[in-house]
Amino acid sequence: YSRSSGQMFSIEAKADGVRIQSFDVFAAKDGTDSCTVLTRPGDWKGHEYNVARWETIYAGTPDLIYLKPVSLRLDRDVYIPRGSRASFQVLCSSKNVMYLWSDGKTEGGPYIDDGSVVLHEGMSMKGAFKPKNWGKFATGLTYVKTASEDGEAPETVSSNPENPTPSPTTKSLTPPPTTKSPTPLPTTEKPTPFPTTMSPIKSPTIKPTMVSPTKLAAQCGDFVCHADEEPGTCPSDCVRKIFYTPERPDSKSAGQMFALEASTDGVRIQSFHVVSKYDAKDDCMVMTREGDWKGHEYDSEGWEIVYAKKDIQLRKMYPVSLGNFDREVPIPLGSRQSFQVLCTYGIMYVWGDKKTEGEPYVTNGSVVIHEGMAMKGPFQPNGWGKFTTGITYISTAPEAI
């Protein structure tokens, strides 16, 4: 067994209506980790460096256990028709995901088959869209077999034929042998404060709208998440999600300027998650404006502060939520909204490219993140970059679409 940041591989369905529900991962050490699962239809070959059509279907911070399987339950089932394949990237930021080494001669070939699903050999990963070498996914996956993609009359297959109560079929591989505990990483120096001071541009002017219970009752159930509805009051229409970006950050700046696009109804941005280079308390600010940031990166006109707080406890290379904005930021379907996210000591991001500035970077089917600019301070662009790491938002529930 070896370890890496994760695995890229494909699964083929031999039975009708296979739905993948979760993956189990082994870790080389105990600890909370930041993990992501991405998927795309078909094979991964030819798409291992391209974010197009890859969708994030899990993003969380599970408590991994040394050499014991931990399940990552996907946000939605991934349907694979009989005879077809779906590809996956299963990634955790600590680089401690265990897998089986392969020599590359059988890359893409069948690795293990339980009669309903076939796991094909793939690649070990240094990060999202960063193949390293060949490998076999370990340790397990949970799936159900259904009659059709629309979910009518699901047939759940029991893993124990003597058990009268059906349960999802789980394919578990042999746990890896005991290995030595990893050497702790060296402690980094205390951060030097970033010299930029962030003066407010103007105070938020929009206050939350209060509505009567009668109005809520009248709208709930119409399959649209309205501005005055919440997942707690209308779960049939609204859902709250956290969208984590797949790539591990590799650079640091005072912040990021970028645009978000809504690809579903009812999107309202509530908060961002940021990664710091240090364990330290920091002062952070978020500004927004309607439309794209291009042409407005040096001009404060039209920008509004929706968040400004001091002494936020950030963590070294670990996503931390800034907490709710002073107000939610709605983005109509098909529209864009621009943001500046800034912290005094700086935040981590993924290095960008001038050639793809402003183009879509990653999407989860509801929100599209467009590549933007790294910042030296408010309205001070300093090179190209991709925002990392997470967005909390409300949107119309997938079941209502």
Side-chain angles (χ1 to χ4, degrees):
Y1 282 84
S2 303
R3 65 182 184 179
S4 69
S5 293
Q7 286 283 295
M8 179 185 289
F9 58 96
S10 65
I11 297 175
E12 179 183 356
K14 296 180 69 177
D16 285 325
V18 168
R19 291 178 184 265
I20 309 300
Q21 294 187 317
S22 68
F23 290 103
D24 297 340
V25 295
F26 274 123
K29 65 176 181 179
D30 292 337
T32 302
D33 207 342
S34 178
C35 298
T36 306
V37 179
L38 297 91
T39 188
R40 64 165 286 127
D43 205 353
W44 55 267
K45 287 188 176 182
H47 307 282
E48 54 266 55
Y49 301 99
N50 184 3
V51 301
R53 295 198 70 188
W54 285 93
E55 176 190 358
T56 302
I57 52 172
Y58 173 88
T61 53
D63 293 324
L64 301 184
I65 303 172
Y66 176 59
L67 296 183
K68 289 189 179 296
V70 172
S71 179
L72 308 180
R73 181 63 170 92
L74 307 181
D75 294 337
R76 69 168 179 84
D77 293 355
V78 178
Y79 174 73
I80 310 177
R82 179 196 284 266
S84 299
R85 295 190 192 185
S87 294
F88 298 87
Q89 294 183 58
V90 181
L91 304 149
C92 293
S93 61
S94 67
K95 302 181 182 180
N96 282 301
V97 177
M98 304 297 287
Y99 71 98
L100 290 168
W101 180 263
S102 179
D103 60 8
K105 297 179 181 178
T106 52
E107 175 194 320
Y111 156 48
I112 192 167
D113 180 351
D114 75 340
S116 297
V117 297
V118 183
L119 271 68
H120 290 259
E121 291 193 29
M123 303 288 289
S124 67
M125 307 292 286
K126 294 187 291 183
F129 308 101
K130 295 179 180 179
K132 183 180 180 182
N133 50 37
W134 303 280
K136 305 172 184 177
F137 172 74
T139 60
L141 60 97
T142 301
Y143 67 92
V144 294
K145 295 190 292 186
T146 59
S148 63
E149 184 177 2
D150 61 13
E152 295 290 327
E155 175 193 357
T156 307
V157 181
S158 172
S159 58
N160 182 357
E162 298 179 359
N163 184 353
T165 304
S167 60
T169 299
T170 305
K171 188 67 183 179
S172 297
L173 308 181
T174 306
T178 302
T179 60
K180 293 182 180 180
S181 298
T183 304
L185 293 173
T187 304
T188 59
E189 71 282 358
K190 186 176 180 180
T192 302
F194 196 86
T196 302
T197 58
M198 292 181 273
S199 302
I201 307 306
K202 65 177 181 178
S203 300
T205 57
I206 301 178
K207 296 181 179 180
T209 302
M210 302 300 293
V211 295
S212 66
T214 303
K215 186 176 181 182
L216 283 174
Q219 290 182 331
C220 187
D222 65 356
F223 306 117
V224 176
C225 186
H226 296 279
D228 50 12
E229 292 179 327
E230 298 282 344
T233 59
C234 191
S236 63
D237 293 356
C238 300
V239 63
R240 179 178 287 105
K241 286 192 173 185
I242 300 176
F243 173 24
Y244 285 105
T245 56
E247 293 189 74
R248 183 179 175 86
D250 55 15
S251 304
K252 183 177 82 74
S253 69
Q256 285 282 296
M257 180 185 290
F258 58 96
L260 300 181
E261 180 181 351
S263 50
T264 192
D265 283 312
V267 170
R268 290 131 61 189
I269 308 301
Q270 294 186 312
S271 179
F272 290 122
H273 301 236
V274 298
V275 171
S276 175
K277 191 175 181 178
Y278 316 102
D279 288 324
K281 289 186 176 181
D282 206 351
D283 302 342
C284 299
M285 179 173 67
V286 178
M287 292 182 283
T288 189
R289 66 166 288 126
E290 292 182 3
D292 207 348
W293 54 267
K294 289 187 175 182
H296 306 283
E297 54 267 55
Y298 301 99
D299 181 11
S300 64
E301 184 66 29
W303 287 91
E304 174 193 2
I305 296 174
V306 291
Y307 176 94
K309 287 187 179 179
K310 296 180 177 293
D311 295 328
I312 302 165
Q313 183 61 60
L314 301 184
R315 296 180 60 183
K316 175 184 175 183
M317 298 305 295
Y318 192 85
V320 172
S321 173
L322 296 178
N324 285 345
F325 297 160
D326 297 333
R327 70 168 181 89
E328 294 176 347
V329 180
I331 309 178
L333 174 63
S335 299
R336 294 190 191 185
Q337 187 81 15
S338 294
F339 296 87
Q340 293 184 60
V341 183
L342 303 133
C343 293
T344 304
Y345 289 142
I347 59 176
M348 302 298 292
Y349 69 101
V350 175
W351 185 261
D353 188 334
K354 181 180 180 180
K355 297 177 182 178
T356 52
E357 175 195 317
E359 293 184 3
Y361 158 43
V362 68
T363 181
N364 69 346
S366 297
V367 177
V368 182
I369 304 175
H370 291 259
E371 289 193 30
M373 302 290 289
M375 307 293 286
K376 293 189 292 184
F379 310 105
Q380 298 177 53
N382 187 37
W384 301 276
K386 305 173 185 177
F387 172 72
T388 310
T389 61
I391 304 165
T392 300
Y393 68 96
I394 290 175
S395 71
T396 297
E399 294 80 7
I401 298 174

